């Protein structure tokens, strides 16, 4: 089962990473690997610790290290290569990375995930794991010239993002077209995205949908997700909840978090399918348990709602907290409101203000308004009209109607500001334009 590790060591230049022999195991534990994989690496490291130390210290050549590691462990080169790549992907702070690295290929594409499988396939095909961008470019050009559509698609990605080459949306489109014509579903998906955004081509929702559908019918999960969104909004295709439900279902069953969230919402609202709170909860839970803050917040919203039979402020607070602790501003604001009202948690103005502040500092206008009100009343924070004005003004300038109305009351009464009915009327008018009923009445009164 042992393999030749020489090329792996030469490509990886492990000495640059200054890792102690146990660092791989530590990184895996921190990154949440399953126990079997951790134990496999633990055995490998224990059996070769001296060799690894000598390799890191430059006392051993890659050839000698390869022979020693191969004899001491049951891992082949591909197995260790995959583990190293996964550890880097998991983001362990125990591993320092070169600024320019092939790993950046799919790091830069986390919003869609389209490139991750493609990147893995290229590594398996022999792409040097820690190659510089120039080396990766040369390797991919050779593969692309030999007709490898995966390599052509990755070259397009490099051009699109300016990785190792001058950025060029037009050249990226050309490469995606070439790979898409050969049936490469990743390229077809990316070509759809280019048409959807008008990047390198004239924007066309219709052409975007056509490319998404080609890839979706071939089983590409991300394309199914994007096509579902098209049908849900009627953008480039006829509006259809039924078609949206169909494609969200396909993508959700392949494990895409965004699709699982969307499918849960469709079950909750009865869009394109029968309404089912049980099914909604199932899909929200699948997505939330993977750690997605958006999914956790959506699941919390589900429990917070009065309609589902599973309504529970306590469960809502649990999921809001998980998302809030990951920095989700919407969840932070919602958790703050629960503390302010004492719903699902022990009532605490101090905790409410703390969570409102976290969200407000991220620019969440609702939280800015809420924090401003806390300062206005002196609830959970020292009373301060100056701080109240600061946060309410931020929210009002972001278009928050309630904040605009409260600013109007401050200027009308002269609390914390120089009294001015003219300025008060300006803020009342802004809030009234957004339908704030109190502001509408104030405008009539003034």
């Amino acid at each position: 089962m042992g393999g030749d590790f020489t090329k792996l060591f030469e490509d990886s230049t492990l000495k640059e990473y200054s890792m102690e022999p146990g660092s791989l195991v530590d990184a895996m534990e921190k990154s949440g690997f399953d126990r079997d994989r951790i134990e496999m690496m633990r055995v490998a490291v224990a059996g070769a610790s001296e060799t690894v130390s000598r390799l890191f210290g430059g006392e051993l050549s890659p050839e000698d290290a390869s022979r020693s590691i191969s004899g001491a462990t049951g891992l082949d080169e591909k197995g260790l290569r995959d583990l190293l790549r996964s550890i880097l992907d998991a983001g362990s702070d125990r591993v320092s990375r070169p600024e320019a690295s092939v790993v950046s290929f799919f790091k830069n594409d986390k919003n869609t995930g389209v490139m991750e499988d493609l990147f893995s396939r290229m590594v398996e095909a022999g792409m040097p794991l820690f190659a510089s961008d120039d080396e990766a470019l040369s390797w991919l050009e050779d593969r692309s010239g030999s007709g490898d559509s995966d390599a052509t698609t990755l070259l397009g990605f490099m051009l699109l993002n300016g990785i190792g080459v001058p950025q060029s949306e037009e050249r990226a489109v050309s490469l995606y077209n070439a790979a898409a014509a050969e049936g490469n579903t990743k390229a077809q998906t990316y070509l759809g995205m280019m048409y959807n955004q008008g990047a390198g081509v004239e924007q066309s929702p219709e052409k975007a949908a056509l490319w998404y559908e080609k890839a979706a019918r071939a089983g590409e999960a991300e394309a199914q997700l994007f096509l579902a969104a098209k049908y849900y909004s009627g953008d480039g295709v006829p509006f259809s909840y039924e078609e949206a439900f169909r494609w969200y279902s396909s993508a959700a069953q392949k494990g895409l978090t965004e699709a699982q969230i969307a499918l849960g919402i469709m079950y909750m609202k009865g869009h394109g399918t029968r309404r089912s709170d049980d099914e909604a909860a199932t899909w929200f839970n699948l997505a939330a348990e993977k750690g997605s803050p958006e999914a956790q917040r959506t699941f919390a919203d589900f429990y917070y709602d009065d309609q589902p039979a599973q309504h529970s402020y306590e469960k809502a607070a649990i999921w809001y907290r998980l998302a809030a602790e990951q920095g989700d501003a919407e969840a932070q604001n919602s958790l703050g409101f629960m503390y302010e009202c004492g719903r699902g948690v022990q009532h605490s103005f101090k905790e409410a203000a703390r969570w409102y502040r976290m969200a407000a500092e991220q620019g969440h206008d609702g939280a800015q308004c809420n924090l401003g009100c806390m300062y206005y009343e002196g609830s959970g924070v020292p009373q301060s009209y100056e701080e109240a004005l600061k946060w309410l003004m931020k929210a009002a300038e972001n278009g928050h109607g309630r904040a605009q109305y409260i600013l109007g009351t401050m200027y009308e009464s002269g609390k914390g500001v120089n009294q001015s009915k003219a300025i008060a009327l300006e803020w009342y008018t802004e809030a009234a334009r957004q339908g704030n009923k109190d502001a509408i009445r104030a405008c009539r009164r003034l």
Side-chain angles (χ1 to χ4, degrees):
M1 290 187 59
D4 182 4
F5 287 77
T6 302
K7 189 175 188 306
L8 175 66
F9 290 139
E10 289 174 340
D11 290 343
S12 304
T13 55
L14 291 178
K15 287 178 287 186
E16 294 181 9
Y17 294 88
S18 302
M19 294 186 294
E20 296 300 322
S23 294
L24 293 177
V25 174
D26 292 344
M28 291 173 70
E29 289 177 334
K30 181 174 181 179
S31 303
F33 280 86
D34 63 67
R35 300 307 306 173
D36 288 343
R37 297 184 81 186
I38 291 174
E39 287 307 309
M40 181 171 65
M41 180 55 83
R42 192 187 305 279
V43 169
V45 170
S49 59
E50 183 179 353
T51 301
V52 172
S53 295
R54 293 174 66 193
L55 175 69
F56 290 165
E59 302 172 16
L60 214 57
S61 70
E63 293 79 6
D64 290 339
S66 173
R67 285 192 292 271
S68 179
I69 296 289
S70 295
T73 74
L75 291 175
D76 59 15
E77 180 179 347
K78 181 180 179 301
L80 186 53
R81 181 187 291 274
D82 286 346
L83 284 173
L84 288 170
R85 183 182 62 79
S86 298
I87 289 165
L88 288 176
D89 182 33
S92 168
D93 59 10
R94 298 293 300 274
V95 182
S96 60
R97 306 170 194 168
E99 291 184 3
S101 169
V102 177
V103 177
S104 65
F105 281 4
F106 67 91
K107 283 291 179 189
N108 288 339
D109 196 45
K110 281 298 183 185
N111 289 332
T112 65
V114 173
M115 301 304 294
E116 186 166 357
D117 290 342
L118 188 57
F119 172 85
S120 298
R121 292 207 294 267
M122 288 290 90
V123 170
E124 290 173 4
M127 174 186 279
L129 183 60
F130 298 102
S132 68
D133 291 335
D134 286 343
E135 291 170 330
L137 181 64
S138 176
W139 189 90
L140 288 169
E141 285 175 338
D142 289 344
R143 295 282 298 192
S144 177
S146 300
D148 188 328
S149 65
D150 283 346
T152 303
T153 303
L154 264 181
L155 277 174
F157 181 72
M158 292 182 74
L159 284 162
L160 179 62
N161 292 278
I163 300 174
V165 290
Q167 193 210 20
S168 173
E169 292 177 347
E170 291 75 14
R171 290 180 63 198
V173 168
S174 176
L175 288 171
Y176 289 148
N177 264 312
E182 296 177 26
N184 189 293
T185 57
K186 300 293 186 186
Q188 291 168 348
T189 303
Y190 248 87
L191 198 52
M193 292 167 64
M194 302 293 275
Y195 276 110
N196 197 54
Q197 298 165 5
V201 291
E202 184 177 347
Q203 189 172 29
S204 171
E206 293 77 16
K207 288 183 179 180
L210 286 172
W211 283 112
Y212 288 154
E213 185 165 3
K214 280 181 181 291
R217 291 189 180 281
E220 187 63 53
E222 287 80 8
Q224 293 170 344
L225 172 68
F226 300 151
L227 183 60
K230 287 286 187 187
Y231 277 112
Y232 195 87
S233 62
D235 181 33
V237 293
F239 168 82
S240 172
Y241 280 146
E242 289 73 19
E243 283 296 298
F245 178 81
R246 170 193 171 193
W247 290 111
Y248 275 137
S249 295
S250 295
Q253 288 163 9
K254 290 182 172 67
L256 287 193
T257 301
E258 298 91 333
Q260 292 171 340
I261 296 171
L263 193 59
I265 291 172
M266 296 196 79
Y267 272 116
M268 185 171 68
K269 295 182 176 181
H271 288 172
T273 185
R274 60 180 177 80
R275 177 186 166 90
S276 171
D277 292 336
D278 289 339
E279 285 289 337
T282 295
W283 288 106
F284 287 147
N285 188 60
L286 279 173
E289 286 189 338
K290 290 189 286 187
S292 161
E294 180 188 359
Q296 292 167 342
R297 170 170 38 83
T298 306
F299 202 14
D301 290 342
F302 171 78
Y303 279 122
Y304 190 90
D305 195 333
D306 289 334
Q307 296 301 314
Q310 297 95 327
H311 164 73
S312 168
Y313 285 141
E314 290 74 18
K315 290 182 179 179
I318 289 170
W319 287 107
Y320 278 139
R321 186 182 303 280
L322 288 170
E325 288 174 347
Q326 293 194 67
D328 186 281
E330 189 69 41
Q332 290 170 343
N333 183 55
S334 295
L335 186 58
F337 183 73
M338 296 192 80
Y339 273 109
E340 183 177 1
C341 300
R343 293 179 178 175
V345 293
Q346 185 175 350
H347 176 269
S348 172
F349 283 136
K350 185 176 180 180
E351 277 297 291
R354 185 171 78 89
W355 287 109
Y356 285 151
R357 184 182 302 280
M358 289 185 194
E361 288 175 348
Q362 293 191 64
H364 190 285
D365 57 1
Q368 291 168 342
C369 178
N370 291 333
L371 184 59
C373 290
M374 302 290 275
Y375 275 111
Y376 187 90
E377 299 291 343
S379 299
V381 291
Q383 198 281 332
S384 169
Y385 286 135
E386 182 180 353
E387 283 293 306
L389 180 65
K390 180 182 91 172
W391 288 108
L392 288 168
M393 188 66 75
K394 285 178 181 290
E397 289 174 347
N398 284 330
H400 195 276
R402 179 167 168 252
Q404 292 168 341
Y405 168 73
I406 296 171
L407 276 179
T409 66
M410 291 180 72
Y411 277 103
E412 185 178 5
S413 65
K415 287 186 177 180
V417 294
N418 294 325
Q419 188 177 32
S420 171
K421 290 190 176 181
I423 296 177
L425 183 58
E426 289 178 8
W427 284 116
Y428 285 149
T429 302
E430 287 295 321
R433 285 179 181 146
Q434 298 192 57
N436 186 288
K437 293 180 180 179
D438 290 331
I440 293 171
R441 286 192 288 268
C443 287
R444 291 171 180 166
R445 177 169 48 78
L446 292 181

